[in-house]
Amino acid sequence: MNEERYQKLKEIVKIYLPEDVSVEDISMESHFINELNINSANLVDIVLDVEDAFDIMLENEDMDQMQTVMDALQIIEKKLTVK
Amino acid sequence: MKFKSIIQKLPFRKPFLFVDELLEIDDKGAKGCYIFPKISDFYKGHFKDNPVTPGVILTECCAQIGLVCLGIHLLGGATDTNLKIGLTSSEMEFLLPVFPGEKVIVSSKKVYFRFQKLKCEVKMHNREGKLVCKGIIAGMFKSDKNG
């Protein structure tokens, strides 16, 4: 796992966490919607911020697959390697 | 007629339909107008003996014209089956009051439409062309076709 990317992703996710979830609650296995209580509208904003931060472009199917922090990192890695 | 078919697809009905007419629409934004009927029920209580259109209603009017009409246009044929929408955020500033019977013109500019979420800058002007309120509104669009 690329620690730098993980930290970068955490910084983005942090902005959209509801008040009752703290940044310490984020782990690789965290489910964005079920565990971090991020709603689908904010998940879109996370994806858009991820696109800007990593200079990549995500498609609808990436969005569907992006359930956990680990999924997001895998998608980022995949996009960066084909770039 | 493009404008008419968009208004027909709106999931709102009286007394919660705040679109009279669409004036312009393209992939970048929408423009439409509405006249607030003097007889609207909320004027009886907002405010007592001093009827002014509530800010939430102005926000709703901005959202229906600026966001929902634009979303239906952007989705095109995908809105034919059971469109479900939800307002997800709004940040508004109110500059002038709107009194019973006043006509307003709402215009919107798309910030982005990605992954079913539409975010717009909206502005409402009165008949004199003065800015009544402005803000940023976002919502999610879902039709049964794509789950």
Side-chain angles (χ1 to χ4, degrees):
Chain A
M1 182 190 78
N2 184 316
E3 184 62 27
E4 192 191 326
R5 275 180 215 153
Y6 181 46
Q7 290 308 325
K8 209 162 151 184
L9 178 63
K10 257 171 125 171
E11 286 302 308
I12 294 169
V13 174
K14 194 173 87 178
I15 306 165
Y16 301 98
L17 288 176
E19 279 164 32
D20 58 341
V21 180
S22 81
V23 68
E24 285 80 49
D25 296 326
I26 304 175
S27 73
M28 289 292 278
E29 290 76 33
S30 303
H31 192 283
F32 288 111
I33 290 171
N34 298 343
E35 281 164 40
L36 300 178
N37 290 338
I38 290 167
N39 65 37
S40 53
N42 280 337
L43 198 55
V44 174
D45 286 317
I46 290 177
V47 169
L48 299 185
D49 286 358
V50 162
E51 287 187 337
D52 288 343
F54 294 94
D55 194 24
I56 52 174
M57 184 90 171
L58 272 71
E59 309 298 332
N60 281 329
E61 52 266 32
D62 301 317
M63 183 78 185
D64 295 338
Q65 280 167 22
M66 205 182 96
Q67 311 256 326
T68 65
V69 172
M70 176 90 94
D71 296 336
L73 286 169
Q74 278 169 355
I75 289 162
I76 292 165
E77 175 154 357
K78 188 181 84 189
K79 297 281 168 181
L80 285 172
T81 46
V82 296
K83 213 167 82 170
Chain B
M1 186 71 191
K2 184 170 66 173
F3 296 151
K4 236 186 199 151
S5 79
I6 290 174
I7 289 180
Q8 274 165 3
K9 283 181 184 171
L10 284 173
F12 313 103
R13 292 294 177 267
K14 283 177 184 179
F16 220 76
L17 172 69
F18 299 106
V19 187
D20 282 338
E21 215 183 315
L22 267 178
L23 305 166
E24 290 168 24
I25 200 150
D26 60 26
D27 289 351
K28 293 187 184 113
K31 190 174 180 181
C33 61
Y34 183 68
I35 295 172
F36 288 97
K38 287 181 181 171
I39 51 155
S40 295
D41 220 34
F42 47 76
Y43 288 126
K44 290 179 200 158
H46 189 283
F47 302 97
K48 184 177 165 276
D49 306 325
N50 175 29
V52 179
T53 315
V56 284
I57 300 290
L58 300 181
T59 306
E60 182 64 29
C61 180
C62 286
Q64 290 192 5
I65 295 173
L67 194 76
V68 185
C69 288
L70 181 59
I72 290 172
H73 169 73
L74 292 171
L75 283 166
T79 51
D80 291 342
T81 45
N82 205 12
L83 176 70
K84 288 201 177 78
I85 54 170
L87 185 69
T88 56
S89 65
S90 69
E91 196 180 328
M92 300 292 292
E93 259 180 79
F94 303 94
L95 302 127
L96 288 173
V98 175
F99 298 109
E102 262 197 67
K103 179 182 179 175
V104 295
I105 293 121
V106 171
S107 52
S108 71
K109 223 166 80 185
K110 180 179 77 181
V111 178
Y112 64 73
F113 183 44
R114 298 283 312 275
F115 309 110
Q116 332 268 10
K117 179 174 175 178
L118 176 61
K119 190 171 188 173
C120 289
E121 288 171 13
V122 293
K123 280 182 179 156
M124 178 184 278
H125 290 86
N126 62 20
R127 198 174 253 161
E128 287 84 55
K130 292 203 171 115
L131 188 63
V132 166
C133 65
K134 59 171 183 170
I136 293 180
I137 300 182
M140 299 288 290
F141 289 74
K142 254 182 193 170
S143 65
D144 275 357
K145 243 182 220 169
N146 46 30

